[in-house]
Amino acid sequence: MTATTTPMPARTAPVPTSSAAAVLEVVGPIRDRYDEILTPDALAFLTELHSRFSARRHDRLADRMRRRFEIGNGHDPQFRDDTAHIRHDDEWRVAGAGPGLEDRRVEITGPTDPKMTINALNSGAKVWLADQEDATSPTWKNVIEGQLSLYDAIRGQLQFTSPEGKSYEVTAEQTPTIVMRPRGWHLVEKHLRYTDRTGRTMDASGSLVDFGLYFFHNAKQLIENGVGPYFYIAKLESAEEAKLWDDVFTFSERYLGIEHGTIRATVLIETLPAAFEMEEILFEMRDHVAGLNAGRWDYIFSIIKNYRGRGARFVLPDRSEVTMTVPFMRAYTELLVKTCHKRGAFAIGGMSAFIPNRRDPEVTERAFEKVAADKKREAGDGFDGTWVAHPDLIPVARAEFDAVLGDRPNQLDRQRPDVSAHPGRRRARAALGAPRWLQQPHLRAGPRQPQLHRRHLLGRGRGERAAGPAQRCRTGRSDGQSGRPLPGKPARCLSRHPGRPADGFHRLYGQGLGHAARRAQGQSFRPDDRGADPCAARRHGHPRRP
């Protein structure tokens, strides 16, 4: 089966709406100028987005929960068999860079309040990530006034005076291209209340609110300015979520009557499941995607979250030890570069954790050294650009990428044939490298971390006594000494998911019965049960599935 790349035909006229019964109500306070953003037409557009896509959003969030349970229950992520034809087809390519995104060697990130917006536009970076997600606390004030800042900046009318009387204005002759990052699918906007056609009322989607308001007010003005409506897409976990975003983009373009493919998105690969679906994500968004970004810090957190119940060997040491040179981070970033360049997409590096301090020269010097080393590695690995969080770091990062790129705007021609992935074997435990590097003695967790993990493993809180090692896989709530179940308490598995009924975790998404429920039904434990019931498998002498 061969993957195709036929784009959806573009429409030049607005799409008629059909959400007469659906309502989007503003329940947050209306302050000065909020009515310029929360216009009736903009709210009608948000209502239509929710009517068409909110149900699919909930389906995708349910898929996330199911998949998280599967990983926690011993089923490691791996490349999908049902999408192998996409990975094996070498013909398809993505839309690539839009106007203003051809050179992305240094991007600055930051919130969208007026002062930070002006500082970013004066920074000298190639791109500004206007962040409505991680860099912005999603208060009602920040959400709407951030939209006002972007509205004014795009029209060249943004000014700001601080409470101390200091004035800020955009003075740069060449300002960065704006790429806005809306909140992830999992977040809601409680100050907007959506009621669907059946009368069900729920909080609005933070993703659709952030995207919808920015796109509706600014898309045509951005095109007139010679660029376009560009977005960073955060926290994706599957190709199906990417397809949902692509459908949102396609509908929105039709709604405003602009050409299909005008929107460009850069997807952050910052979750463990997404690392195994990078080509599928690019394929589903191929008419709108410009590149992928290595979101290193959320990626580390995703591994912690998904493997938090899988045993002490998955406990990571202090985050200062989890650098970009450890095997599982190297495997992830190198595969990202290879995947992007194979499909004509930009590979953008991540954020260094070091920030200069203008009041402390020693701190600043150390930060410059660390950032320079980090950006040198990224440029050498084939990344086309990188992130910084402070204007003083822009010259440092630019110098490292200039040394590699020279006059070229990118290095898409570097294909990285030395990087390979094996669909049948490249799993989180093997290819992503966590156990391999954790086995190195000098990188193991310190003495306190296994204790903290063991408390979680055994399900005890403050002041509770732990069951002995011999009782770790007993069913029933342990009394802390003999491991016997307490009278009247449901059977539980203490080694994998404390406080949850033994059959509840395994049965929730069709993974089979827990060992207590199986014993009650007289079922035996076979080697085939290892994936569904690893606790029982260990108790009966079977090794973990590799």
Side-chain angles (χ1 to χ4, degrees):
M1 182 176 180
T2 302
T4 61
T5 59
T6 304
M8 183 177 292
R11 295 188 181 183
T12 57
V15 176
T17 62
S18 59
S19 56
V23 176
L24 190 71
E25 179 186 6
V26 179
V27 296
I30 302 298
R31 301 188 176 98
D32 183 40
R33 295 190 64 196
Y34 282 25
D35 58 342
E36 297 180 31
I37 298 298
L38 301 171
T39 64
D41 289 341
L43 293 177
F45 177 58
L46 293 184
T47 303
E48 191 67 19
L49 288 177
H50 281 79
S51 297
R52 291 174 178 267
F53 301 110
S54 62
R56 288 175 59 187
R57 167 180 170 263
H58 288 292
D59 289 343
R60 300 290 77 78
L61 293 178
D63 290 343
R64 286 187 183 185
M65 183 177 294
R66 174 187 54 79
R67 194 169 191 179
R68 194 173 304 134
F69 277 129
E70 290 175 350
I71 295 174
N73 199 25
H75 295 263
D76 289 322
Q78 56 184 309
F79 292 101
R80 293 168 55 172
D81 294 332
D82 62 325
T83 58
H85 63 282
I86 295 175
R87 299 191 300 273
H88 296 158
D89 182 0
D90 294 332
E91 300 300 322
W92 63 270
R93 295 293 184 271
V94 302
L101 291 179
E102 298 89 352
D103 189 335
R104 305 180 63 174
R105 66 186 68 198
V106 182
E107 303 185 358
I108 190 169
T109 71
T112 55
D113 61 272
K115 176 183 173 181
M116 297 301 290
T117 297
I118 293 172
N119 288 342
L121 294 176
N122 288 330
S123 67
K126 293 291 186 179
V127 171
W128 172 42
L129 189 159
D131 198 0
Q132 289 286 87
E133 196 223 11
D134 282 352
T136 297
S137 177
T139 64
W140 180 239
K141 178 178 184 294
N142 288 344
V143 168
I144 302 302
E145 294 184 14
Q147 294 282 350
L148 281 168
S149 297
L150 294 170
Y151 182 93
D152 290 341
I154 290 168
R155 289 158 179 81
Q157 60 192 33
L158 180 62
Q159 294 181 341
F160 174 71
T161 301
S162 68
E164 297 77 19
K166 184 176 180 180
S167 297
Y168 295 82
E169 62 181 6
V170 178
T171 58
E173 295 182 2
Q174 183 69 36
T175 59
T177 301
I178 298 176
V179 181
M180 195 273 251
R181 176 162 68 168
R183 283 169 282 181
W185 282 127
H186 59 295
L187 295 176
V188 299
E189 179 47 67
K190 67 179 182 180
H191 297 94
L192 292 172
R193 193 68 54 80
Y194 171 68
T195 303
D196 65 14
R197 297 183 182 90
T198 66
R200 293 178 299 178
T201 299
M202 64 198 78
D203 292 334
S205 162
S207 302
L208 295 179
V209 169
D210 293 345
F211 163 81
L213 291 177
Y214 179 79
F215 179 82
F216 182 84
H217 288 295
N218 302 306
K220 292 184 177 180
Q221 183 64 49
L222 286 164
I223 295 171
E224 185 178 329
N225 292 349
V227 286
Y230 303 145
F231 299 91
Y232 259 108
I233 302 302
K235 307 298 189 292
L236 282 193
E237 296 195 13
S238 69
E240 286 73 21
E241 294 182 21
K243 175 61 176 174
L244 176 56
W245 267 119
D246 190 74
D247 290 344
V248 170
F249 295 158
T250 298
F251 167 76
S252 300
E253 290 167 336
R254 292 175 174 177
Y255 190 94
L256 291 191
I258 63 178
E259 184 179 356
H260 177 77
T262 301
I263 293 174
R264 288 292 193 274
T266 303
V267 179
L268 289 109
I269 303 300
E270 52 186 348
T271 65
L272 178 63
F276 288 88
E277 299 188 27
M278 286 190 278
E279 289 199 70
E280 291 86 342
I281 288 171
L282 288 175
F283 179 81
E284 295 294 356
M285 300 182 72
R286 60 195 181 278
D287 292 342
H288 294 106
V289 73
L292 301 179
N293 174 278
R296 61 178 74 174
W297 300 110
D298 283 305
Y299 185 76
I300 294 172
F301 170 73
S302 178
I303 291 178
I304 295 172
K305 179 173 67 175
N306 280 285
Y307 283 88
R308 65 189 185 275
R310 291 284 294 273
R313 63 177 176 153
F314 288 97
V315 177
L316 300 184
D318 186 86
R319 67 178 182 177
S320 64
E321 300 290 336
V322 188
T323 66
M324 295 303 295
T325 59
V326 300
F328 77 98
M329 297 301 288
R330 290 288 289 165
Y332 142 70
T333 54
E334 289 183 334
L335 182 59
L336 186 146
V337 172
K338 176 185 176 70
T339 302
C340 286
H341 290 181
K342 176 183 178 182
R343 304 302 180 180
F346 280 53
I348 307 299
M351 178 77 71
S352 178
F354 302 97
I355 302 296
N357 184 346
R358 293 173 179 174
R359 298 179 181 178
D360 191 333
E362 293 184 3
V363 171
T364 299
E365 184 178 357
R366 287 197 299 270
F368 285 172
E369 292 176 357
K370 296 287 187 180
V371 171
D374 184 61
K375 304 315 174 186
K376 181 177 181 179
R377 175 193 53 78
E378 287 183 335
D381 284 347
F383 281 95
D384 303 288
T386 190
W387 280 6
V388 298
H390 194 282
D392 290 349
L393 296 176
I394 292 175
V396 178
R398 183 189 293 120
E400 298 301 334
F401 274 84
D402 286 348
V404 174
L405 295 177
D407 295 332
R408 297 178 300 160
N410 55 67
Q411 47 184 336
L412 291 175
D413 56 335
R414 187 173 178 192
Q415 295 295 307
R416 294 302 304 268
D418 55 309
V419 177
S420 63
H422 305 285
R425 298 180 298 171
R426 192 181 181 92
R427 302 186 179 189
R429 291 187 299 175
L432 297 184
R436 183 172 61 204
W437 77 270
L438 283 174
Q439 291 169 6
Q440 300 175 22
H442 65 286
L443 288 177
R444 287 178 180 170
R448 295 184 62 184
Q449 291 181 349
Q451 296 173 9
L452 292 174
H453 183 84
R454 191 166 181 267
R455 182 191 306 148
H456 165 76
L457 196 68
L458 300 176
R460 60 190 172 102
R462 292 180 181 272
E464 295 180 334
R465 300 180 63 184
Q471 282 78 46
R472 286 175 60 181
C473 281
R474 290 182 182 272
T475 57
R477 184 184 294 277
S478 172
D479 61 6
Q481 297 179 7
S482 65
R484 294 187 298 272
L486 295 177
K489 299 294 183 181
R492 301 179 186 273
C493 172
L494 299 177
S495 67
R496 294 299 303 282
H497 27 78
R500 184 182 296 276
D503 62 340
F505 183 88
H506 298 296
R507 298 187 63 186
L508 192 55
Y509 289 102
Q511 294 303 313
L513 297 173
H515 50 265
R518 290 190 179 206
R519 182 182 293 106
Q521 296 184 10
Q523 299 183 25
S524 62
F525 297 99
R526 304 181 303 276
D528 293 340
D529 296 329
R530 288 176 291 170
D533 196 353
C535 299
R538 290 197 303 274
R539 187 172 59 256
H540 288 265
H542 303 307
R544 271 188 193 272
R545 177 179 294 171

